[in-house]
Amino acid sequence: NAGVTQTPKFRILKIGQSMTLQCTQDMNHNYMYWYRQDPGMGLKLIYYSVGAGITDKGEVPNGYNVSRSTTEDFPLRLELAAPSQTSVYFCATRTGNYGYTFGSGTRLTVV
Amino acid sequence: KNEVEQSPQNLTAQEGEFITINCSYSVGISALHWLQQHPGGGIVSLFMLSSGKKKHGRLIATINIQEKHSSLHITASHPRDSAVYICAVRPLGETSGSRLTFGEGTQLTVNP
């Protein structure tokens, strides 16, 4: 049982490039979230999904897109990467009793 | 002002000491979470509280809903407890996505 799997763990992007951060869960949870963590700041919600086919914006959605075609996968797309998107990204799921499971994170640097 | 404030921001302790990390919040909540983030970066859920007190091993979490305050205690601290401890709340009325609001975290270092 892998839980929440994020790939890649590290990535360096050039300004203007695009990439997709992958998130897969094997727990059949409906609720999934993408957060970013900047130094000295609390995690900020980028996008979330309450089930396959349903996504919604969080606090800081600009510059990002998501899709949720299956229960298992919740990829985060960065278009036209900017230095302000340098951060650590976490994917998470919510369990039925309102606990949360986090992926191991993706450290992204935009240069 | 953040909705969730943690104190202290940084804490250094000697092995064996009793440690307290505090979390205050300014909104009504339906639940509060304590999370642990190790130097490698992964985040692990420690506790979810809506009232009272919970204990797991050497960790104890308490919450006072009326005072909008929670504490995380670590008894007989050990260097392996060194991590960032994060408080997060689920605001009342947050039903559509069960979204959390996070504190900035407390960096704990336990020296041998």
Side-chain angles (χ1 to χ4, degrees):
Chain A
N1 189 340
V4 179
T5 302
Q6 284 185 240
T7 57
K9 292 195 186 307
F10 303 94
R11 182 73 185 267
I12 298 175
L13 276 183
K14 293 184 178 177
I15 295 171
Q17 287 185 321
S18 61
M19 75 165 292
T20 300
L21 281 66
Q22 301 290 348
C23 176
T24 299
Q25 54 109 351
D26 60 2
M27 299 174 286
N28 202 35
H29 292 164
N30 285 323
Y31 288 69
M32 295 187 75
Y33 309 84
W34 273 107
Y35 292 96
R36 60 177 287 172
Q37 185 182 39
D38 300 314
M41 307 278 288
L43 279 79
K44 299 292 185 187
L45 181 65
I46 305 170
Y47 270 94
Y48 68 100
S49 169
V50 300
I54 306 169
T55 62
D56 209 344
K57 295 178 181 179
E59 302 169 81
V60 290
N62 291 345
Y64 307 95
N65 275 301
V66 293
S67 60
R68 185 91 183 273
S69 56
T70 66
T71 299
E72 294 77 19
D73 298 307
F74 189 40
L76 177 71
R77 177 85 176 162
L78 279 72
E79 305 281 5
L80 298 174
S84 61
Q85 293 177 305
T86 294
S87 189
V88 182
Y89 292 84
F90 288 96
C91 179
T93 70
R94 198 207 83 186
T95 67
N97 64 353
Y98 292 93
Y100 291 82
T101 300
F102 288 81
S104 57
T106 295
R107 186 174 296 273
L108 174 68
T109 302
V110 181
V111 297
Chain B
K1 191 178 189 301
N2 293 335
E3 289 182 341
V4 180
E5 297 276 353
Q6 288 185 235
S7 64
Q9 287 186 313
N10 294 282
L11 180 57
T12 300
Q14 289 300 121
E15 184 172 356
E17 286 185 1
F18 181 85
I19 287 162
T20 296
I21 298 170
N22 297 298
C23 175
S24 296
Y25 51 91
S26 57
V27 297
I29 68 168
S30 54
L32 181 143
H33 296 254
W34 281 102
L35 310 166
Q36 181 190 56
Q37 184 172 26
H38 271 285
I43 298 174
V44 175
S45 180
L46 296 175
F47 294 104
M48 181 180 68
L49 294 160
S50 54
S51 65
K53 175 179 172 177
K54 286 190 176 180
K55 183 175 189 293
H56 186 258
R58 294 179 295 106
L59 273 61
I60 303 166
T62 64
I63 189 169
N64 185 318
I65 295 291
Q66 288 72 30
E67 295 186 3
K68 293 187 168 63
H69 181 268
S70 175
S71 293
L72 176 68
H73 305 287
I74 305 175
T75 62
S77 60
H78 190 277
R80 65 175 175 267
D81 297 325
S82 298
V84 175
Y85 292 84
I86 301 169
C87 173
V89 302
R90 187 169 78 244
L92 276 173
E94 177 46 63
T95 55
S96 63
S98 297
R99 293 171 288 176
L100 298 177
T101 300
F102 293 81
E104 294 177 3
T106 294
Q107 173 69 62
L108 171 65
T109 302
V110 182
N111 294 319

